[in-house]
Amino acid sequence: MIEGAQALVLDFGGVISKSLFETHQQSEEALGLPPGTLGWRGPFDPNTDPLWRAMQAGEISERDYWYRRAHETGRLVGEDWTTLPEFLQRVRGDDPVLVIRPEALAAIGAAKVAGRKLAILSNELDLFYGADFRQRLPFLTDFDVVVDATYTQILKPDPRAYRIVTSALGLEPAACVFVDDQFKNVCGALSVGMKAIQFDVRRPAESYAEALRLLGLSAQMEDQHGGA
């Protein structure tokens, strides 16, 4: 009998993939911009980013935040980016594997080996990355369910978003561990009865360790890493 929760439900951007705040150096190099041009740091330094603070306060949506960042970054190189995939491709190139967190791949692998189900619940997966990028991420075939508000049009923290994914998994909310980097989305998951943690983009290893603990896998992970 499996002990602990039975499914790991992950947000994508910031949780599985590194946030754009972490890859400014690569973005500046890709765009031919001087180092330090991209000064907005989001959760790494909210004082540098009043737009981020406005998003955290609920004054603008997460989508609005990134559309505005895309528009202003495009202007720096004399381009007009009207879609988020244009933005992502220009700042990150053609290989999305390069910005996938190794900690995410380790946790996904551990959950799968232990027989837990895997799901993604994202507000902007294909809207942000483009519909064809999934074919370039082989590990996505390990997921049992992908729920993307690009198509459902039901954004977290709407309770219906979480119920869509738990229904697709065939599990009660209490059997699922949800991980998201946005506090409001974590609160939404808790409100429907899921176990949930807020992912700290500054401490990805610790965040995934906590998620695995809630899945009942902490002992197994310690055994695999020699009792770390």
Side-chain angles (χ1 to χ4, degrees), residues 116-161:
R116 290 352 185 233
K117 292 185 176 181
L118 291 162
I120 289 173
L121 177 59
S122 172
N123 276 356
E124 78 298 282
L125 196 58
D126 287 1
L127 173 76
F128 204 100
Y129 295 90
D132 65 339
F133 93 106
R134 297 192 202 185
Q135 286 71 40
R136 291 177 279 159
L137 295 175
F139 71 89
L140 288 181
T141 60
D142 289 338
F143 282 80
D144 302 281
V145 173
V146 176
V147 175
D148 180 4
T150 303
Y151 306 107
T152 67
Q153 296 299 303
I154 300 174
L155 298 171
K156 298 170 293 186
D158 188 317
R160 294 175 297 168

Side-chain angles (χ1 to χ4, degrees), residues 23-199:
T23 57
H24 278 338
Q25 180 179 344
Q26 298 95 307
S27 297
E28 290 163 347
E29 291 172 356
L31 297 172
L33 295 171
T37 300
L38 302 177
W40 36 274
R41 296 281 293 157
F44 291 91
D45 189 356
N47 290 330
T48 68
D49 200 339
L51 195 62
W52 173 264
R53 297 199 304 271
M55 189 264 281
Q56 292 297 307
E59 297 167 11
I60 63 172
S61 71
E62 191 171 6
R63 288 183 179 184
D64 289 337
Y65 177 90
W66 288 114
Y67 271 116
R68 289 172 66 173
R69 289 297 180 214
H71 181 65
E72 67 183 31
T73 305
R75 284 189 302 178
L76 292 174
V77 293
E79 299 178 19
D80 182 19
W81 301 332
T82 58
T83 69
L84 294 177
E86 287 178 288
F87 176 38
L88 262 290
Q89 184 161 6
R90 290 288 279 111
V91 300
R92 286 194 158 172
D94 292 325
D95 189 357
V97 173
L98 297 177
V99 294
I100 300 302
R101 297 189 187 280
E103 299 91 346
L105 296 178
I108 290 165
K112 186 169 182 65
V113 167
R116 290 352 185 233
K117 292 185 176 181
L118 291 162
I120 289 173
L121 177 59
S122 172
N123 276 356
E124 78 298 282
L125 196 58
D126 287 1
L127 173 76
F128 204 100
Y129 295 90
D132 65 339
F133 93 106
R134 297 192 202 185
Q135 286 71 40
R136 291 177 279 159
L137 295 175
F139 71 89
L140 288 181
T141 60
D142 289 338
F143 282 80
D144 302 281
V145 173
V146 176
V147 175
D148 180 4
T150 303
Y151 306 107
T152 67
Q153 296 299 303
I154 300 174
L155 298 171
K156 298 170 293 186
D158 188 317
R160 294 175 297 168
Y162 308 95
R163 292 184 182 119
I164 289 172
V165 76
T166 57
S167 176
L169 287 167
L171 295 172
E172 293 298 318
C176 301
V177 174
F178 176 70
V179 184
D180 198 294
D181 60 325
Q182 295 298 315
F183 179 68
K184 64 182 179 181
N185 296 338
V186 172
C187 290
L190 292 170
S191 75
V192 300
M194 300 174 85
K195 298 177 176 68
I197 63 168
Q198 183 174 3
F199 187 86

